[in-house]
Amino acid sequence: MLTRRNFLTVAAGMASLFVAGCSGEKDEAPAADSAPEPAKDAPAADVAPVGNVLVAYFSATGNTEGVATAIAGRLGADVFVIEAADPYTEADLNYNDDASRTSVERADGTNPELAQVTPDGWADYDTVLLGYPIWWGEAAWPLRTFVEGNDFAGKTVVPFCTSGSSGIGSSAELLAEMAGAGEWREGERFSAGAGDEAADWVVGLGL
């Protein structure tokens, strides 16, 4: 897990990446694409969150990672990357193939195994910003495992997602139902490469 002390180093490294023509993670189903351009010149930690804040996210193609990085950088928050124990390949994300991994997991309701379910120091976080791509109108499947595997009691949870076009829909509500605890606030959807927009959005949350 990244901490406040080493986050800026990671963020600086990401700022050197630039990929043109990013198409966005599909809002109908997963699709592979390039990592987005991180937020431009976003000042780090220019908001003082109340209490301990964690940005936890899953990103299959890099789009959600870019948005999550911008949000965490603006807040000076800790970061936890939700990772599948068996990482998804491009073939796994082929929603046109009914035999692809994501298609099969969707059909049978599989909760993918994670490399680490509970972030270090989880009990100490008051607020969790939870990021994910939209797959077939829902939060990407690894979020099922993460949400059901952690206790959200006493935490404020702010969902955010990335998709090609549609909104966040009922994805956050479904996650809140799975969690069964916590104060879940209204979430927000972002397109690929919307780091600046996301950083501005998080300022208005009053965390």
Side-chain angles (χ1 to χ4, degrees):
M1 182 181 77
L2 300 180
T3 65
R4 293 182 181 88
R5 274 177 273 194
N6 61 21
F7 178 78
L8 292 180
T9 300
V10 176
M14 290 190 62
S16 64
L17 300 177
F18 179 86
V19 179
C22 188
S23 60
E25 291 184 73
K26 295 282 186 178
D27 60 329
E28 294 296 331
D33 59 3
S34 302
E37 178 184 0
K40 299 177 182 178
D41 302 322
D46 61 352
V47 176
V50 177
N52 293 323
V53 179
L54 176 70
V55 176
Y57 72 89
F58 168 76
S59 186
T61 63
N63 293 325
T64 304
E65 180 180 23
V67 171
T69 297
I71 289 173
R74 182 61 61 92
L75 292 177
D78 289 347
V79 174
F80 177 77
V81 182
I82 301 169
E83 298 178 289
D86 181 13
Y88 289 87
T89 66
E90 183 175 351
D92 291 336
L93 301 172
N94 183 1
Y95 67 91
N96 290 314
D97 180 4
D98 290 340
S100 71
R101 176 180 172 186
T102 48
S103 296
V104 172
E105 288 176 345
R106 177 197 181 207
D108 62 18
T110 296
N111 286 10
E113 182 181 353
L114 301 183
Q116 180 179 343
V117 176
T118 302
D120 296 337
W122 174 254
D124 298 327
Y125 291 107
D126 305 301
T127 301
V128 178
L129 289 105
L130 190 60
Y132 51 89
I134 293 291
W135 290 357
W136 282 280
E138 301 178 33
W141 320 148
L143 269 293
R144 301 170 181 165
T145 312
F146 181 80
V147 167
E148 293 184 351
N150 289 296
D151 182 6
F152 287 83
K155 300 186 188 300
T156 297
V157 186
V158 185
F160 63 94
C161 70
T162 56
S163 71
S165 59
S166 67
I168 195 168
S170 61
S171 64
E173 296 174 9
L174 292 174
L175 291 177
E177 290 177 6
M178 293 179 194
E183 179 187 346
W184 288 67
R185 296 177 58 174
E186 183 177 357
E188 188 63 55
R189 170 262 174 192
F190 298 98
S191 59
D196 291 333
E197 179 186 347
D200 291 340
W201 165 75
V202 78
V203 172
L205 294 178
L207 300 177

